[in-house]
Each structure stands twice: as structure tokens, then as C-alpha cells.
């Protein structure tokens, strides 16, 4: 992910890649989402239904679910999602990254 909208980013500055979209193809996004939901304290028995609900909401609003086995959604592949995270959770659910998600230990911790 990027840390700023307009300033240069080592991986993907949003102003440069927004319309065309940007994603890694060698990541199991469903497992990443399940892991995130688990980290947030959702009971194991509820994780799969919550993932399914999130993906359904994405499809409902015409966002691409292709990384989860669904459709590409609209012809506009670029979507910007801003997530607000409580500072005390930041180091539990996020990490500083280099291009393609490789951990950047020089910027750890984020908080």
C-alpha cells in the first residue's frame, strides 16, 4: 500500500496507477482477508461467513472481486480504499512494506 496520495512512493504512487489498477497476482487474498479478520477478534466459526459477506458487498457496489474468484466489476479497475485503524492496533494488523509487500524492517514499528 501507499502512504501518501501524491508524493512519490517506492511501489505504487496512487496518482500514477489509480485508473489502471495495481495488484500482485501471487498473493492469496482470501487467506490474507481471513487472517486479518481473525486478528481483529472474529470467532473462527464466523470468519468464512464474514469473508463471504465482504466479497458480496464488493460485488454489490461493482468493485472487482477477481482476486477472490469473482468478477472484475466495473471497467474502472482502480479503486482507492482508505482504512482507519486505531493506533494501538496498527502494529498488529499492518506492517511497513517495500514493493510487492516485502517487509521493510527499517520502518518498523509503524506506530
Amino acid at each position: 500500500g501507499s502512504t501518501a496520495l501524491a508524493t512519490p512512493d517506492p511501489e505504487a504512487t496512487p496518482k500514477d496507477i489509480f485508473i489502471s489498477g495495481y495488484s500482485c497476482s501471487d498473493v492469496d487474498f482470501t487467506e490474507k482477508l481471513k487472517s486479518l479478520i481473525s486478528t481483529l477478534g472474529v470467532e473462527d466459526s464466523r470468519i468464512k461467513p464474514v469473508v463471504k459477506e465482504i466479497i458480496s458487498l464488493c460485488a454489490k457496489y461493482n468493485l472487482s472481486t477477481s482476486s477472490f474468484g469473482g468478477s472484475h466489476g466495473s471497467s474502472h479497475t482502480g479503486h482507492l480504499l482508505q482504512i482507519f485503524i486505531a493506533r494501538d492496533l496498527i502494529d498488529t494488523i499492518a506492517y511497513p512494506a517495500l514493493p510487492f509487500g516485502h517487509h521493510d524492517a527499517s520502518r518498523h514499528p509503524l506506530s
Side-chain angles (χ1 to χ4, degrees):
S2 293
T3 56
L5 290 175
T7 58
D9 188 273
E11 183 175 351
T13 303
K15 72 177 185 67
D16 296 332
I17 56 89
F18 182 74
I19 297 299
S20 63
Y22 176 82
S23 184
C24 295
S25 59
D26 62 343
V27 175
D28 186 339
F29 289 103
T30 302
E31 287 304 313
K32 291 287 185 189
L33 184 56
K34 287 178 183 177
S35 176
L36 173 63
I37 292 167
S38 175
T39 300
L40 294 173
V42 174
E43 294 177 20
D44 289 347
S45 64
R46 290 283 307 136
I47 292 174
K48 282 186 181 180
V50 169
V51 167
K52 191 172 185 174
E53 194 173 330
I54 290 169
I55 294 169
S56 293
L57 282 168
C58 290
K60 176 181 177 181
Y61 291 99
N62 210 24
L63 299 174
S64 175
T65 57
S66 60
S67 295
F68 300 92
S71 71
H72 284 283
S74 76
S75 61
H76 302 290
T77 58
H79 302 287
L80 187 61
L81 176 63
Q82 186 172 7
I83 302 172
F84 295 93
I85 302 170
R87 187 169 295 278
D88 62 330
L89 292 175
I90 232 24
D91 294 321
T92 302
I93 61 175
Y95 65 93
L98 296 167
F100 298 102
H102 298 285
H103 185 251
D104 181 359
S106 72
R107 296 189 296 147
H108 188 79
L110 285 171
S111 60

